[in-house]
Amino acid sequence: MSAPEKATDHQAEIAARVKAIESIMIEKGLMTTEAVDRLAEIYENEVGPQLGAKVVAKAWTDPEFKSRLLENASTACAELGISGLQGEDMVAVEDTDDVHHVIVCTLCSCYPWPVLGLPPNWYKMPPYRAAMVKAPRKVLREEFGYDVPESVEIRVWDSSSELRYWVLPQRPAGTEDFTVEQLEALVTRDSMIGVGAPKAAA
């Protein structure tokens, strides 16, 4: 069973537990249904991969912004109104023709929430955290179906509470005439973690 498949089973179990705890807290008056809905709305619409996609598309189309992003990701993201908890000290690492980057947190699940939202369950699982450090090319190929050519170096970045890394993926070929909005639609969460590529131009 692959890491994503294991994560799906694990996610279903966690979802059931969360629902049970949520029901108890609402029954006891510790929180309201409205508060739960608002939290869900925040992570669905106000923070998450769609915000990271905006940053990536901006970097693809604005060389000066890209330079600022690679120099100080937190400050550059703040220019677009993107900041907050778990995003105080972010570092963006750029994929090139010669180097591919992958993000992991070997200690727990440190993750740049403002640009990527909540971490996927497989990101938090020990097998992913351990295997990605030891054999990243194999994990990418076997667990995620992402085959990085042998000619491309893979660098694994270990996020922590002090520094949270994320990937600036390469702009897909054939997108020279795309609008920023069209480019945003090509950026995936997995491409910003490094376990996948952006969508190809249609």
Side-chain angles (χ1 to χ4, degrees):
M1 184 180 292
S2 68
E5 289 172 332
K6 293 176 183 176
T8 299
D9 292 341
H10 186 56
Q11 184 174 4
E13 180 182 346
I14 291 176
R17 292 181 182 178
V18 169
K19 192 65 179 177
I21 294 172
E22 175 187 319
S23 298
I24 292 173
M25 294 182 73
I26 291 174
E27 288 176 9
K28 292 184 175 295
L30 299 175
M31 66 188 308
T32 65
T33 301
E34 291 76 14
V36 173
D37 291 343
R38 175 56 182 150
L39 285 172
E41 180 183 0
I42 288 173
Y43 281 100
E44 287 176 1
N45 302 311
E46 297 179 24
V47 300
Q50 71 274 14
L51 295 186
K54 290 181 181 295
V55 178
V56 171
K58 174 75 170 174
W60 283 347
T61 56
D62 185 337
E64 292 184 358
F65 175 78
K66 175 182 172 181
S67 294
R68 295 195 298 275
L69 179 69
L70 295 175
E71 181 177 348
N72 189 320
S74 297
T75 299
C77 287
E79 293 179 23
L80 304 181
I82 300 171
S83 62
L85 184 66
Q86 311 298 329
E88 299 88 349
D89 297 291
M90 296 187 293
V91 176
V93 289
E94 181 185 14
D95 279 351
T96 68
D97 290 340
D98 301 315
V99 180
H100 176 74
H101 302 283
V102 185
I103 308 307
V104 71
C105 176
T106 55
L107 292 179
C108 49
S109 58
C110 296
Y111 195 73
W113 290 8
V115 291
L116 294 182
L118 297 176
N121 282 318
W122 53 259
Y123 181 86
K124 299 179 283 185
M125 295 177 68
Y128 168 79
R129 287 153 43 189
M132 186 59 80
V133 172
K134 295 178 181 177
R137 198 178 305 275
K138 179 181 179 182
V139 173
L140 289 174
R141 182 176 59 251
E142 296 182 0
E143 302 291 345
F144 296 94
Y146 186 36
D147 197 5
V148 178
E150 291 291 336
S151 60
V152 176
E153 176 188 355
I154 298 177
R155 295 178 185 171
V156 179
W157 297 84
D158 191 1
S159 287
S160 68
S161 58
E162 286 76 32
L163 288 177
R164 295 166 194 269
Y165 297 95
W166 59 275
V167 178
L168 174 60
Q170 286 187 288
R171 181 172 176 167
T175 60
E176 294 78 13
D177 297 326
F178 276 38
T179 65
V180 172
E181 290 73 21
Q182 289 174 312
L183 289 172
E184 288 177 14
L186 301 180
V187 183
T188 65
R189 178 200 65 191
D190 285 1
S191 71
M192 293 183 283
I193 299 175
V195 297
K199 298 174 185 176

